[in-house]
């Protein structure tokens, strides 16, 4: 495996791992703030990020590189409110999208078309990740902060509907 590619993929492993930690921290905040549905959504999201991390780990190792498991920084533990949580989710996902795009750019520069092909899954995934964060933010705006009970009940249905084969794509 090309060294520069191995390096950038290892940085991504750390970022996906942090994403999982960040959403776990948000889930824990939501759970202790009485938002059961939102907490579940965030716990599921944290698991998905762990799977993203594992995808990168296996790819690096299978291609003859060495995946590095490093320490993760502590995510924020408290949030102003639910809107603050989902704004932070969106900002974080935009950061991850930019980071996936950097991998794509490096693959082109290094003519590593195998990794380019691998990373396409993440390009598509980021479209969904940003879309679902924006959908929740829009719904929050529509409902107003006084109606969080409705969002808390609806949020898992929104996730199910957004998933492949889940009805509304
Ligand atoms: Fe692994 Fe939410 O991007």
């Amino acid at each position: 495996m090309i060294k520069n590619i191995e390096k950038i993929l290892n940085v991504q492993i750390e970022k996906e791992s942090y994403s999982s930690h960040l959403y776990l921290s948000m889930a824990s905040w939501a759970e202790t703030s009485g938002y059961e549905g939102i907490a579940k959504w965030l716990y599921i999201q944290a698991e998905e990020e762990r799977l993203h991390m594992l995808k990168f780990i296996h790819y690096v190792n299978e291609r003859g590189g060495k995946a590095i498991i490093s320490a993760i920084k502590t995510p924020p533990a408290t949030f102003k409110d639910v809107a603050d949580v989902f704004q932070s989710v969106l900002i974080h996902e935009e950061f991850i999208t930019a980071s996936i795009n950097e991998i794509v750019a490096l693959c082109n520069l290094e003519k590593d078309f195998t990794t380019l092909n691998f990373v396409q899954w993440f390009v598509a995934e980021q479209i969904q990740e940003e879309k679902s964060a924006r959908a929740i933010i829009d719904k929050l705006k529509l409902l107003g902060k006084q109606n969080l009970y409705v969002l808390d009940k609806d949020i898992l249905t929104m996730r199910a509907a957004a998933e492949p084969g889940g009805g509304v794509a």
Side-chain angles (χ1 to χ4, degrees):
M1 167 169 263
I2 300 163
K3 279 290 151 198
N4 276 347
I5 298 285
E6 183 177 352
K7 209 167 139 190
I8 202 169
L9 294 182
N10 268 312
V11 171
Q12 193 63 31
I13 288 168
E14 199 180 329
K15 287 177 183 167
E16 299 290 349
S17 179
Y18 178 74
S19 303
S20 183
H21 249 53
L22 176 63
Y23 297 150
L24 262 186
S25 184
M26 289 172 171
S28 182
W29 175 86
E31 194 168 40
T32 52
S33 304
Y35 302 116
E36 208 183 309
I38 290 168
K40 270 190 195 146
W41 189 97
L42 289 159
Y43 279 124
I44 295 169
Q45 196 62 32
E47 277 306 302
E48 280 194 4
E49 298 301 349
R50 201 182 120 72
L51 293 177
H52 294 172
M53 175 193 72
L54 283 170
K55 261 186 202 279
F56 278 108
I57 290 174
H58 295 318
Y59 179 77
V60 170
N61 289 339
E62 280 161 15
R63 296 289 302 156
K66 171 86 176 74
I68 306 295
I69 311 303
S70 50
I72 318 161
K73 67 176 179 176
T74 308
T78 55
F79 302 88
K80 209 167 92 218
D81 51 26
V82 170
D84 181 34
V85 166
F86 285 104
Q87 276 299 339
S88 304
V89 169
L90 179 59
I91 289 168
H92 185 70
E93 288 304 331
E94 286 170 346
F95 163 74
I96 295 294
T97 300
S99 153
I100 297 290
N101 288 343
E102 275 175 36
I103 300 175
V104 170
L106 189 66
C107 287
N108 279 312
L109 192 75
E110 298 282 5
K111 295 190 166 48
D112 182 348
F113 302 119
T114 311
T115 304
L116 183 65
N117 184 52
F118 164 75
V119 91
Q120 285 312 315
W121 185 89
F122 287 92
V123 172
E125 175 69 6
Q126 282 314 115
I127 296 170
Q128 285 307 316
E129 297 271 73
E130 287 190 23
K131 187 179 153 192
S132 66
R134 286 197 187 97
I136 293 165
I137 291 167
D138 286 348
K139 189 139 198 181
L140 260 173
K141 282 183 194 153
L142 270 174
L143 289 170
K145 288 184 184 172
Q146 276 67 42
N147 269 319
L148 281 171
Y149 179 74
V150 178
L151 180 75
D152 195 51
K153 274 176 56 180
D154 277 8
I155 195 163
L156 292 175
T157 319
M158 287 171 78
R159 169 182 285 278
E163 262 154 26
V168 198

